[in-house]
Amino acid sequence: MRTALLLIAMSILGYCKDETVSGHGGAGATWVLHSIDGTPFAARATLGFPEEGTLAGEAPCNRYSGAQTLPYPWFRAEALITTKRACPDLEAETRYLRILEEMTLVEVAGDTLLLTNEAGREMVFRAGE
């Protein structure tokens, strides 16, 4: 009984907030890919966190969505699905989505979102560019 009351009180006081990236500054922005591993990304790709536990965006050719349920600062793009349009940037899209799935950490600092992994790879996004 005491534990239940404590959980209710914590919930009312806001202690049970969204622990994913959307609850730590990632929500409410469209993050535009600026670079991969220090090299500017020539095509346009976006990433967003429309609600707790989800991610969505536009790759160079197609829209995509998926899950991101790990607590901040951990990151994993899971169960990605895409539309199926063909376009000249399909190679860039394949590269973007493959690398996005390799990322394991996220950091939100002002208008910058940084995705990294243990191998030293990084993706730098800027808000609304």
Side-chain angles (χ1 to χ4, degrees):
M1 176 71 173
R2 188 174 185 168
T3 302
L5 289 174
L6 180 60
L7 288 174
I8 291 169
M10 288 174 64
S11 178
I12 291 170
L13 295 174
Y15 289 105
C16 294
K17 69 175 191 160
D18 177 0
E19 290 299 324
T20 66
V21 66
S22 62
H24 288 269
T30 297
W31 300 97
V32 180
L33 182 61
H34 184 261
S35 65
I36 296 176
D37 299 331
T39 302
F41 192 70
R44 180 171 167 81
T46 67
L47 174 62
F49 303 94
E51 57 188 52
E52 181 178 351
T54 65
L55 59 82
E58 290 188 28
C61 299
N62 293 283
R63 289 185 301 248
Y64 68 94
S65 62
Q68 198 305 113
T69 58
L70 296 178
Y72 187 86
W74 306 109
F75 179 88
R76 184 174 351 161
E78 301 175 286
L80 290 182
I81 58 170
T82 66
T83 56
K84 301 292 183 193
R85 292 183 302 200
C87 81
D89 286 330
L90 204 50
E91 186 176 319
E93 175 168 303
T94 301
R95 181 172 173 250
Y96 167 74
L97 293 173
R98 181 180 44 80
I99 295 170
L100 182 66
E101 289 180 314
E102 293 176 7
M103 297 296 107
T104 57
L105 290 170
V106 61
E107 179 182 348
V108 178
D111 69 345
T112 301
L113 182 138
L114 178 65
L115 294 176
T116 59
N117 68 15
E118 296 82 16
R121 303 209 70 183
E122 72 173 21
M123 300 175 87
V124 177
F125 293 80
R126 303 258 192 254
E129 280 187 356

